């Protein structure tokens, strides 16, 4: 597809995610993979989103770090979402937060065996350990870890995330 088109798609996904969550009655954070530029101009305006730096060697450690930072700030219910799910809507995130009133963990499963959203009301480090990230086993393994810990969970609707050019083409065909 090429770098230019891939960057354009990435920007569209960021814009969609930003606009999906910006009106939620919740604290909103963006964990940047790269340096946070003080003069950045992107989909995450400072007036709505607080900026933090990702830390960790893999996806699991980066997510664990995000939860740790936010629980450390006193949040009692935290949901993290990826920026690669173009069908995500505000109602999905609202459902996730509401589910945490009754459950320990909430997951938004992806059709490819991963997840697009993970929410918790207390830290559970086991969810981030011993995972083959970006494989079709992540959701199953995560649910097993939740059960092993004796925690309850709620599943949101299955959605497709966009990891490949074919995923993007399928999304475009579906959205027509």
């Amino acid at each position: 597809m090429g770098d230019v088109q891939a960057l354009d798609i990435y920007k569209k996904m960021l814009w969609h995610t930003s606009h999906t969550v910006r009106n939620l009655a919740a604290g909103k954070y963006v964990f940047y993979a790269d340096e946070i530029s003080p003069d950045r101009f992107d989909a995450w305006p400072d007036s709505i989103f607080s900026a933090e730096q990702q830390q960790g060697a893999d996806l699991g450690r980066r997510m664990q770090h995000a939860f740790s930072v936010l629980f450390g700030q006193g949040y009692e219910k935290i949901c993290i979402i990826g920026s690669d799910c173009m069908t995500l809507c505000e109602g999905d995130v609202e459902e996730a937060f509401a589910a945490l009133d009754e459950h320990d963990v909430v997951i938004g499963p992806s059709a490819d065996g991963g997840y697009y959203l993970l929410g918790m009301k207390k830290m559970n480090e086991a969810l981030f350990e011993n995972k083959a990230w970006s494989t079709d086993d992540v959701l199953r393994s995560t649910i097993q870890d939740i059960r092993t810990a004796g925690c309850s969970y709620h599943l949101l609707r299955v959605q497709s995330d966009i990891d490949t050019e074919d995923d993007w083409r399928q999304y475009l065909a579906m959205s027509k």
Side-chain angles (χ1 to χ4, degrees):
M1 130 179 335
D3 292 344
V4 172
Q5 188 176 4
L7 179 60
D8 182 55
I9 292 168
Y10 178 67
K11 287 179 180 179
K12 287 176 182 171
M13 291 190 297
L14 292 177
W15 185 90
H16 171 79
T17 305
S18 171
H19 282 77
T20 297
V21 301
R22 69 178 44 217
N23 293 320
L24 291 171
K28 292 172 260 319
Y29 288 77
V30 176
F31 282 77
Y32 285 84
D34 298 318
E35 180 181 327
I36 304 171
S37 171
D39 60 345
R40 70 185 189 279
F41 179 76
D42 58 20
W44 314 102
D46 289 338
S47 60
I48 300 172
F49 299 93
S50 297
E52 293 284 344
Q53 189 73 48
Q54 289 184 12
Q55 292 183 23
D58 63 24
L59 178 59
R61 294 294 172 222
R62 290 189 294 270
M63 289 190 296
Q64 181 179 3
H65 170 75
F67 277 105
S68 294
V69 166
L70 297 176
F71 280 128
Q73 292 183 15
Y75 287 96
E76 296 176 358
K77 297 190 294 186
I78 299 167
C79 292
I80 60 174
I81 58 175
S83 58
D84 60 352
C85 184
M86 291 293 286
T87 55
L88 182 74
C89 67
E90 187 175 309
D92 297 318
V93 184
E94 289 171 338
E95 179 184 344
F97 277 110
L100 289 172
D101 290 337
E102 303 294 325
H103 301 278
D104 300 308
V105 179
V106 62
I107 303 173
S110 295
D112 64 5
Y115 51 81
Y116 59 87
L117 179 148
L118 179 66
M120 296 189 294
K121 56 186 179 184
K122 67 178 180 178
M123 179 58 88
N124 184 341
E125 279 124 6
L127 302 187
F128 308 106
E129 298 171 354
N130 303 313
K131 300 283 183 297
W133 297 106
S134 301
T135 68
D136 62 1
D137 192 51
V138 173
L139 177 64
R140 185 206 59 78
S141 176
T142 302
I143 290 172
Q144 182 59 46
D145 290 338
I146 294 167
R147 290 176 175 157
T148 298
C151 295
S152 63
Y153 67 95
H154 173 78
L155 294 177
L156 301 174
R157 67 186 174 117
V158 175
Q159 297 191 56
S160 295
D161 57 8
I162 298 173
D163 297 320
T164 66
E165 184 176 356
D166 285 342
D167 294 341
W168 179 250
R169 292 187 196 290
Q170 288 175 359
Y171 161 73
L172 290 176
M174 179 188 76
S175 63
K176 289 184 179 182

